[in-house]
Amino acid sequence: MDVKKDILWRVYLCLIGMALFGVAILVKVFYIQNVQGQYWRNMADSLHTGYVALDAERGTIYSEEGRMLSTSIPYFDIRIDFAADGLRDKNGKVFKENLDSLADRLANTFGDRSKAAYRTMLQEGYKSKDRYFLLKRDVPFNQYQELRTFPMFRLGKNKGGMIAESKSKRINPFKLLANRTIGLARENSQSVGLERTYNDYLKGVTGKRLMRRIAGGTYVPVDGYDIEPENGRDVVTTIDVNMQDIVETALMNMMVSNEAEHGTCILMEVKTGKIKAIANLGRQPDGNYWEDMNYALQVAEPGSTFKLATVIAVLEDKFATMNTMVNMDGGHWQVGRRTVYDSEPHPGPQNVTVKHAFELSSNVGMAKLAYQFYNRQPNNFVAHLRKLRLDQSTGIDLVGEGRPVVKSTASKSWSNTSLPWMAFGYEVLISPLQTCMLYNAVANNGKMMKPYLVNSIQEYGQVAKQFEPTVLLDSICSQNTLKQVQAMLEGVPIDGTAKKLRTPYYDFAGKTGTALVANGSHGYADKIYQSSFAGYFPAKDPQYTCVVVIKNKPHALRFYGANVAGPVFREVADKLYAIAVERQKPMQATMQLDTLLALKNGRGSEWKEILGTLQLPLSSTPANNSWVSAKVTDRKIAFQQVTQLKGAVPDVTGMGLKDALYLLENAGLRVVVKGAGKVKTQSLPGGTKIGNEQTIVIELS
């Protein structure tokens, strides 16, 4: 008995223990589900969900007149959720009813596969219940809009299953124009140009989208968990598209005709420092030209355009005036073991004024001036160059501006010939933009402006940040010096190296430059010349400064600045001057009247609007609702009401299409139109009786 009791006691104890353990499990389950449930559900979701970045729409870069220079256009990846509720109801009735028509529309729209192939592809996706089936990548916006009207897709995401993932692609609508300056927005490497400089404004703020992992390792968006991105701001530049086209075309024409290696042309607004146009062209392996580098910012030996800085220094220190005499020594002068040569022969008197030596671009004349007055204290000459900010970058709002080099006696490469060679633009390194800034200061009566490319930052059409012109120096030199160098620059196209560029229509001022360029280990043996021209126009009231720098091919037949860079300057100046003159021309009443003679018939209300705008002389006023004919007598316009006979064909000869259609269709005729312009002939003469459902053919020319 004792043994039996002992066994039963043990059995009961085990049963009680098991019961308590079961109760504990139930309590724990209840606690987990009801108390800690949300925590564990969130934990589970976190293991199968994650956020992906939603790129913000990048801001647009505009020209000054509001044209898009760089913008983002939307593209879409189209996917299908074959497990959408609408596609699984009633044994897939929606899918089956729309399959053929959807496959047909897809085949016709994309043209990349047949209707049968699309049908098979859709059936396989539906059979696999793929919730993230890729249908098509990189669909443009117009096709995306069309897709939304397709069978099944037009039912919406929940019923039709279409998922559209938006992304953007950066384009430059004007292609080549200012391409390097506007720049590129790259994902995997650094951007360039304005795209890089103003990236913080353009890029906006990235958003987030919650994605859930489903079977097969695919992620689908979770509705309601998106953090919308903030779109980037727009950048309004100083660039004028029409001016840019003029500059780019002029440079391209010369580059192609001379087979040059690379070149740049800069157009700056004198009073403000705004860069209105900037072209940079480099020869590609296939012989074509493209904006491959911003050559306007690259430093090099400038050559003779640098002589402006030399004469400013000499005149400012009052060592000479523009009428001081200097001997050009036949175009060659020995300094130590080196010889200074003039790049062009100068027949005639060799003892000339400083002004004429400058006009003739004499290297000897400039070298002698610098050597005579600064040889004992060359750093005084260097101090003038630094005062003109030639040892500093311009600070333009572009990344990648080269660092200028202006030597002093402390430089390791300084020699006893450095000073005279610097006087005519060698042994110094500056960029074309720095040259432009200096010449612009002379044009601007001594005030040096900082060059800049952006007018404002805008957000939803409202100005968020405005950029104003910046004065770097109130005066680069005294007014006495300024007047003399202005006279020298104006003399270059009159009595100097740019005589061939002179035009009878307007005056301009400038300086030619021709520099021999070293070619690596070949040195100067390849005879590669850099041609340049720097100047401003019109000379007496400068509006624009233009600098052209072109690096020619080895042994080029044309290489002088006046023959290569000068014609580019002249073409730009000619076209801009012509545009300015055309804008300033008053409208001549006689021209307006002669033009209006061709309009003849029209509504009285439209005639009154035209005449009110042009403020032309009238001898009578047309009635608003009548159809009138215009006639000019004694340089005044008179109107006569045109009577249209009921049931008769109107005479529309000489009318525009809009007016002709108005009269003919109101008369009950069916109109067939051929050609464009104004009505030349009509198949039914005016006054002809109109029959039932009659058709008239009008020919325009």
Side-chain angles (χ1 to χ4, degrees):
M1 285 296 290
D2 291 337
V3 174
K4 184 178 180 181
K5 287 180 180 181
D6 186 66
I7 292 172
L8 288 173
W9 178 80
R10 293 174 183 271
V11 171
Y12 293 145
L13 185 61
C14 288
L15 289 173
I16 292 170
M18 292 174 65
L20 292 173
F21 183 76
V23 171
I25 291 175
L26 292 174
V27 170
K28 189 64 174 177
V29 169
F30 179 86
Y31 181 80
I32 290 173
Q33 287 184 336
N34 295 279
V35 179
Q36 295 183 319
Q38 189 60 45
Y39 170 81
W40 291 112
R41 278 190 289 273
N42 291 341
M43 181 67 74
D45 286 344
S46 69
L47 297 175
H48 299 285
T49 60
Y51 280 99
V52 296
L54 291 177
D55 291 335
E57 183 177 333
R58 193 171 179 84
T60 296
I61 299 178
Y62 290 98
S63 68
E64 191 166 48
E65 69 272 29
R67 301 189 195 182
M68 286 188 291
L69 300 177
S70 181
T71 190
S72 299
I73 58 174
Y75 278 80
F76 300 86
D77 288 344
I78 306 300
R79 298 179 181 270
I80 303 175
D81 179 5
F82 281 115
D85 294 339
L87 299 182
R88 290 294 167 181
D89 286 352
K90 300 178 182 179
N91 298 318
K93 181 180 178 182
V94 172
F95 176 76
K96 293 174 183 177
E97 288 179 349
N98 290 282
L99 177 60
D100 285 338
S101 54
L102 177 59
D104 182 61
R105 293 289 297 274
L106 290 171
N108 289 333
T109 299
F110 298 122
D112 56 344
R113 61 183 76 195
S114 65
K115 173 183 175 181
Y118 267 112
R119 192 177 191 279
T120 301
M121 183 178 70
L122 293 170
Q123 284 178 320
E124 290 175 353
Y126 183 78
K127 185 178 180 180
S128 65
K129 298 183 180 181
D130 193 334
R131 303 211 62 178
Y132 207 52
F133 179 82
L134 178 62
L135 177 66
K136 192 74 176 175
R137 290 189 186 275
D138 297 329
V139 174
F141 183 75
N142 61 326
Q143 288 187 341
Y144 162 69
Q145 291 284 72
E146 189 179 353
L147 277 171
R148 294 175 62 185
T149 67
F150 281 13
M152 193 170 83
F153 290 164
R154 58 174 168 248
L155 300 176
K157 178 180 177 181
N158 293 330
K159 291 185 178 180
M162 188 179 89
I163 302 172
E165 294 182 331
S166 175
K167 55 186 180 181
S168 61
K169 181 181 179 181
R170 201 70 172 168
I171 65 165
N172 183 341
F174 290 99
K175 308 269 183 210
L176 180 66
L177 293 189
N179 186 272
R180 188 69 184 185
T181 301
I182 295 163
L184 302 170
R186 296 167 173 157
E187 294 180 0
N188 300 322
S189 59
Q190 286 187 327
S191 301
V192 296
L194 294 175
E195 292 278 10
R196 177 176 176 181
T197 305
Y198 292 92
N199 183 60
D200 289 344
Y201 293 106
L202 290 164
K203 69 180 180 180
V205 179
T206 304
K208 292 182 180 180
R209 169 174 290 166
L210 185 63
M211 304 287 286
R212 175 176 284 122
R213 185 178 180 182
I214 60 176
T218 303
Y219 283 84
V220 296
V222 178
D223 290 338
Y225 286 88
D226 288 357
I227 300 175
E228 293 297 327
E230 296 179 20
N231 292 338
R233 297 180 180 183
D234 299 328
V235 172
V236 180
T237 70
T238 61
I239 291 174
D240 182 292
V241 170
N242 293 329
M243 293 182 184
Q244 180 68 36
D245 184 44
I246 290 170
V247 166
E248 200 99 42
T249 301
L251 181 63
M252 178 70 81
N253 291 340
M254 180 56 70
M255 297 286 290
V256 171
S257 66
N258 218 40
E259 298 180 352
E261 290 188 11
H262 61 73
T264 184
C265 182
I266 309 163
L267 185 70
M268 179 188 287
E269 192 173 73
V270 170
K271 300 296 189 294
T272 62
K274 290 182 179 181
I275 301 297
K276 305 302 295 180
I278 179 169
N280 297 280
L281 297 175
R283 187 177 175 90
Q284 306 304 298
D286 62 359
N288 292 318
Y289 290 91
W290 188 252
E291 290 235 349
D292 57 351
M293 186 177 292
N294 207 328
Y295 297 105
L297 305 184
Q298 307 303 308
V299 298
E301 290 178 321
S304 293
T305 55
F306 193 81
K307 291 171 183 173
L308 175 62
T310 300
V311 294
I312 288 175
V314 172
L315 297 178
E316 190 70 356
D317 282 336
K318 295 182 170 53
F319 290 135
T321 69
M322 66 179 183
N323 296 316
T324 300
M325 305 303 288
V326 61
N327 197 304
M328 296 187 294
D329 275 339
H332 53 86
W333 178 57
Q334 189 165 341
V335 183
R337 296 183 179 181
R338 299 179 69 183
T339 303
V340 178
Y341 292 98
D342 284 349
S343 61
E344 300 180 57
H346 305 303
Q350 298 300 301
N351 199 36
V352 298
T353 64
V354 170
K355 179 177 183 290
H356 198 47
F358 181 85
E359 293 167 347
L360 295 176
S361 197
S362 172
N363 294 340
V364 171
M366 296 301 109
K368 279 188 171 184
L369 289 174
Y371 193 80
Q372 178 182 351
F373 299 121
Y374 296 105
N375 186 46
R376 293 184 178 181
Q377 293 180 311
N379 283 336
N380 288 350
F381 177 75
V382 174
H384 280 286
L385 304 184
R386 289 175 174 170
K387 180 184 176 182
L388 295 173
R389 299 180 64 93
L390 294 175
D391 64 329
Q392 303 175 45
S393 300
T394 66
I396 192 172
D397 41 350
L398 283 176
V399 177
E401 186 175 8
R403 180 176 295 178
V405 176
V406 174
K407 296 196 295 187
S408 70
T409 55
S411 303
K412 292 182 179 179
S413 58
W414 184 270
S415 69
N416 64 342
T417 58
S418 290
L419 176 63
W421 258 256
M422 288 172 68
F424 56 92
Y426 286 83
E427 295 199 33
V428 292
L429 301 176
I430 65 172
S431 69
L433 187 60
Q434 285 177 283
T435 300
C436 188
M437 191 170 72
L438 175 61
Y439 277 75
N440 193 77
V442 174
N444 198 25
N445 287 321
K447 186 180 292 186
M448 180 174 283
M449 307 302 296
K450 177 182 177 180
Y452 69 107
L453 277 158
V454 171
N455 280 320
S456 64
I457 307 295
Q458 295 191 357
E459 188 171 17
Y460 301 110
Q462 301 298 314
V463 175
K465 185 174 183 179
Q466 187 76 40
F467 297 93
E468 301 293 343
T470 302
V471 178
L472 297 178
L473 288 173
D474 287 322
S475 182
I476 60 171
C477 59
S478 67
Q479 284 299 302
N480 182 46
T481 297
L482 184 66
K483 296 304 178 186
Q484 292 184 78
V485 296
Q486 287 174 340
M488 291 182 187
L489 291 170
E490 290 173 28
V492 171
I494 298 174
D495 296 315
T497 54
K499 278 184 180 180
K500 294 180 181 179
L501 300 175
R502 196 177 181 190
T503 170
Y505 301 106
Y506 62 92
D507 293 325
F508 64 88
K511 180 73 186 72
T512 60
T514 308
L516 188 61
V517 180
N519 188 21
S521 60
H522 291 258
Y524 296 97
D526 288 339
K527 299 295 181 181
I528 298 176
Y529 287 92
Q530 178 176 278
S531 308
S532 56
F533 191 95
Y536 51 85
F537 59 93
K540 298 305 182 185
D541 182 23
Q543 300 299 311
Y544 301 104
T545 299
C546 182
V547 169
V548 183
V549 179
I550 296 175
K551 183 181 177 182
N552 298 290
K553 67 178 182 179
H555 305 287
L557 296 178
R558 285 189 299 171
F559 58 85
Y560 287 125
N563 297 333
V564 179
V568 178
F569 173 93
R570 170 69 189 276
E571 183 177 340
V572 171
D574 280 353
K575 290 181 178 179
L576 291 181
Y577 181 77
I579 291 172
V581 169
E582 192 65 31
R583 286 175 179 171
Q584 293 170 2
K585 277 184 180 179
M587 293 184 68
Q588 300 296 325
T590 55
M591 294 174 61
Q592 295 167 352
L593 292 173
D594 293 338
T595 302
L596 289 170
L597 277 170
L599 297 178
K600 294 184 179 179
N601 298 351
R603 293 188 190 88
S605 59
E606 293 180 348
W607 267 108
K608 288 178 73 174
E609 183 178 350
I610 293 171
L611 299 173
T613 302
L614 298 179
Q615 298 181 346
L616 296 179
L618 304 176
S619 61
S620 63
T621 304
N624 284 338
N625 298 323
S626 62
W627 200 267
V628 295
S629 174
K631 184 179 180 181
V632 177
T633 305
D634 296 329
R635 309 316 302 169
K636 290 185 178 182
I637 301 177
F639 294 95
Q640 184 177 358
Q641 186 168 340
V642 177
T643 303
Q644 298 292 344
L645 298 176
K646 191 173 183 180
V649 176
D651 184 2
V652 297
T653 306
M655 292 187 187
L657 179 59
K658 175 185 174 184
D659 292 335
L661 286 176
Y662 175 82
L663 289 176
L664 294 173
E665 291 181 347
N666 279 352
L669 293 165
R670 288 184 299 179
V671 185
V672 176
V673 181
K674 294 183 178 179
K678 294 180 180 179
V679 178
K680 183 180 180 182
T681 61
Q682 57 186 79
S683 61
L684 299 176
T688 305
K689 187 177 180 179
I690 300 174
N692 293 331
E693 298 183 358
Q694 198 160 355
T695 300
I696 184 172
V697 178
I698 57 174
E699 293 188 8
L700 284 67
S701 64

